[in-house]
Short mmCIF file of all heavy atoms in Angstrom, two decimals:
data_model
loop_
_atom_site.label_atom_id
_atom_site.label_comp_id
_atom_site.label_asym_id
_atom_site.label_seq_id
_atom_site.Cartn_x
_atom_site.Cartn_y
_atom_site.Cartn_z
N GLY L 353 69.05 64.45 73.75
CA GLY L 353 69.38 63.15 73.17
C GLY L 353 69.85 62.17 74.23
O GLY L 353 69.55 60.97 74.17
N ARG L 354 70.56 62.68 75.24
CA ARG L 354 71.06 61.79 76.31
C ARG L 354 69.95 61.43 77.29
O ARG L 354 70.00 60.37 77.92
CB ARG L 354 72.25 62.43 77.01
CG ARG L 354 73.45 62.59 76.06
CD ARG L 354 74.63 63.27 76.73
NE ARG L 354 75.29 62.41 77.69
CZ ARG L 354 76.34 61.64 77.43
NH1 ARG L 354 76.86 61.63 76.21
NH2 ARG L 354 76.88 60.89 78.37
N LEU L 355 68.99 62.32 77.45
CA LEU L 355 67.87 62.01 78.33
C LEU L 355 67.05 60.82 77.79
O LEU L 355 66.49 60.02 78.56
CB LEU L 355 66.95 63.25 78.45
CG LEU L 355 65.65 63.05 79.26
CD1 LEU L 355 65.96 62.76 80.73
CD2 LEU L 355 64.75 64.29 79.14
N TYR L 356 67.00 60.76 76.49
CA TYR L 356 66.11 59.82 75.80
C TYR L 356 66.29 58.34 76.22
O TYR L 356 65.34 57.71 76.70
CB TYR L 356 66.31 60.04 74.29
CG TYR L 356 65.61 59.15 73.35
CD1 TYR L 356 64.24 59.24 73.16
CD2 TYR L 356 66.32 58.23 72.58
CE1 TYR L 356 63.59 58.42 72.24
CE2 TYR L 356 65.69 57.41 71.66
CZ TYR L 356 64.33 57.51 71.50
OH TYR L 356 63.70 56.70 70.58
N PRO L 357 67.50 57.78 76.12
CA PRO L 357 67.62 56.37 76.52
C PRO L 357 67.47 56.19 78.03
O PRO L 357 67.03 55.13 78.49
CB PRO L 357 69.04 55.99 76.07
CG PRO L 357 69.77 57.28 75.98
CD PRO L 357 68.76 58.31 75.59
N GLN L 358 67.78 57.24 78.78
CA GLN L 358 67.68 57.19 80.24
C GLN L 358 66.21 57.04 80.65
O GLN L 358 65.86 56.19 81.48
CB GLN L 358 68.24 58.51 80.76
CG GLN L 358 68.58 58.59 82.20
CD GLN L 358 69.07 60.02 82.53
OE1 GLN L 358 69.91 60.58 81.78
NE2 GLN L 358 68.55 60.62 83.59
N VAL L 359 65.35 57.87 80.03
CA VAL L 359 63.91 57.78 80.27
C VAL L 359 63.39 56.41 79.87
O VAL L 359 62.60 55.80 80.58
CB VAL L 359 63.19 58.89 79.46
CG1 VAL L 359 61.74 58.55 79.22
CG2 VAL L 359 63.31 60.23 80.17
N TYR L 360 63.86 55.94 78.73
CA TYR L 360 63.29 54.69 78.24
C TYR L 360 63.72 53.49 79.08
O TYR L 360 62.93 52.58 79.34
CB TYR L 360 63.64 54.46 76.76
CG TYR L 360 62.56 53.66 76.07
CD1 TYR L 360 61.29 54.20 75.91
CD2 TYR L 360 62.78 52.38 75.61
CE1 TYR L 360 60.26 53.48 75.31
CE2 TYR L 360 61.76 51.65 75.00
CZ TYR L 360 60.50 52.20 74.86
OH TYR L 360 59.49 51.48 74.27
N ALA L 361 64.97 53.52 79.55
CA ALA L 361 65.45 52.45 80.43
C ALA L 361 64.58 52.39 81.68
O ALA L 361 64.21 51.31 82.16
CB ALA L 361 66.91 52.67 80.79
N ALA L 362 64.20 53.55 82.21
CA ALA L 362 63.37 53.59 83.41
C ALA L 362 61.97 53.03 83.13
O ALA L 362 61.41 52.29 83.95
CB ALA L 362 63.26 55.02 83.93
N LEU L 363 61.42 53.35 81.97
CA LEU L 363 60.08 52.84 81.62
C LEU L 363 60.09 51.32 81.41
O LEU L 363 59.15 50.62 81.77
CB LEU L 363 59.56 53.54 80.36
CG LEU L 363 59.19 55.02 80.57
CD1 LEU L 363 58.96 55.72 79.22
CD2 LEU L 363 57.93 55.14 81.44
N ILE L 364 61.18 50.82 80.86
CA ILE L 364 61.32 49.37 80.69
C ILE L 364 61.37 48.70 82.07
O ILE L 364 60.71 47.69 82.30
CB ILE L 364 62.59 49.04 79.86
CG1 ILE L 364 62.34 49.37 78.39
CG2 ILE L 364 62.98 47.57 80.04
CD1 ILE L 364 63.55 49.17 77.50
N LEU L 365 62.14 49.27 82.97
CA LEU L 365 62.23 48.72 84.33
C LEU L 365 60.86 48.69 85.01
O LEU L 365 60.50 47.72 85.67
CB LEU L 365 63.17 49.57 85.19
CG LEU L 365 64.63 49.15 85.23
CD1 LEU L 365 65.42 50.07 86.15
CD2 LEU L 365 64.74 47.68 85.72
N ARG L 366 60.10 49.77 84.84
CA ARG L 366 58.79 49.86 85.49
C ARG L 366 57.77 48.89 84.93
O ARG L 366 56.95 48.34 85.64
CB ARG L 366 58.21 51.28 85.31
CG ARG L 366 58.76 52.28 86.28
CD ARG L 366 58.08 53.64 86.06
NE ARG L 366 59.09 54.67 86.30
CZ ARG L 366 58.88 55.96 86.16
NH1 ARG L 366 57.69 56.40 85.76
NH2 ARG L 366 59.83 56.83 86.39
N HIS L 367 57.76 48.77 83.59
CA HIS L 367 56.62 48.09 82.95
C HIS L 367 56.98 46.90 82.05
O HIS L 367 56.10 46.20 81.59
CB HIS L 367 55.84 49.10 82.09
CG HIS L 367 55.39 50.30 82.83
ND1 HIS L 367 54.50 50.24 83.87
CD2 HIS L 367 55.72 51.63 82.69
CE1 HIS L 367 54.28 51.48 84.35
NE2 HIS L 367 55.02 52.33 83.64
N GLY L 368 58.25 46.73 81.77
CA GLY L 368 58.66 45.79 80.72
C GLY L 368 58.33 44.33 80.99
O GLY L 368 58.28 43.52 80.05
N ASP L 369 58.12 43.96 82.27
CA ASP L 369 57.85 42.55 82.58
C ASP L 369 56.40 42.31 82.99
O ASP L 369 56.06 41.24 83.50
CB ASP L 369 58.81 42.07 83.68
CG ASP L 369 60.25 42.02 83.17
OD1 ASP L 369 60.47 41.40 82.11
OD2 ASP L 369 61.13 42.63 83.80
N LYS L 370 55.53 43.30 82.77
CA LYS L 370 54.13 43.13 83.15
C LYS L 370 53.42 42.12 82.25
O LYS L 370 53.74 41.99 81.07
CB LYS L 370 53.40 44.48 83.04
CG LYS L 370 53.76 45.40 84.20
CD LYS L 370 52.80 46.57 84.28
CE LYS L 370 53.09 47.38 85.55
NZ LYS L 370 52.52 48.73 85.47
N ALA L 371 52.42 41.47 82.80
CA ALA L 371 51.63 40.51 82.02
C ALA L 371 50.78 41.25 80.99
O ALA L 371 50.35 42.39 81.22
CB ALA L 371 50.72 39.71 82.96
N VAL L 372 50.59 40.61 79.84
CA VAL L 372 49.79 41.20 78.74
C VAL L 372 48.79 40.15 78.26
O VAL L 372 49.17 39.01 78.01
CB VAL L 372 50.72 41.58 77.56
CG1 VAL L 372 49.89 42.06 76.37
CG2 VAL L 372 51.72 42.65 78.00
N ASN L 373 47.53 40.54 78.14
CA ASN L 373 46.55 39.59 77.59
C ASN L 373 46.24 39.89 76.12
O ASN L 373 46.73 40.89 75.56
CB ASN L 373 45.27 39.56 78.46
CG ASN L 373 44.55 40.90 78.46
OD1 ASN L 373 44.58 41.64 77.47
ND2 ASN L 373 43.90 41.22 79.56
N GLU L 374 45.46 39.04 75.52
CA GLU L 374 45.19 39.16 74.08
C GLU L 374 44.51 40.48 73.70
O GLU L 374 44.82 41.09 72.68
CB GLU L 374 44.29 38.00 73.60
CG GLU L 374 45.03 36.69 73.42
CD GLU L 374 46.23 36.82 72.51
OE1 GLU L 374 46.07 37.26 71.36
OE2 GLU L 374 47.36 36.49 72.95
N ALA L 375 43.57 40.90 74.55
CA ALA L 375 42.84 42.14 74.26
C ALA L 375 43.80 43.33 74.29
O ALA L 375 43.71 44.25 73.47
CB ALA L 375 41.72 42.34 75.27
N GLN L 376 44.75 43.31 75.22
CA GLN L 376 45.74 44.39 75.30
C GLN L 376 46.66 44.36 74.09
O GLN L 376 47.04 45.41 73.55
CB GLN L 376 46.54 44.26 76.60
CG GLN L 376 45.69 44.54 77.84
CD GLN L 376 46.36 44.12 79.13
OE1 GLN L 376 47.23 43.25 79.15
NE2 GLN L 376 45.96 44.75 80.23
#
Side-chain angles (χ1 to χ4, degrees):
Chain L
R354 295 178 72 94
L355 175 65
Y356 175 71
Q358 195 183 314
V359 157
Y360 210 65
L363 289 168
I364 285 176
L365 268 182
R366 279 182 216 178
H367 305 297
D369 292 308
K370 285 194 173 161
V372 175
N373 63 32
E374 283 306 304
Q376 292 167 336

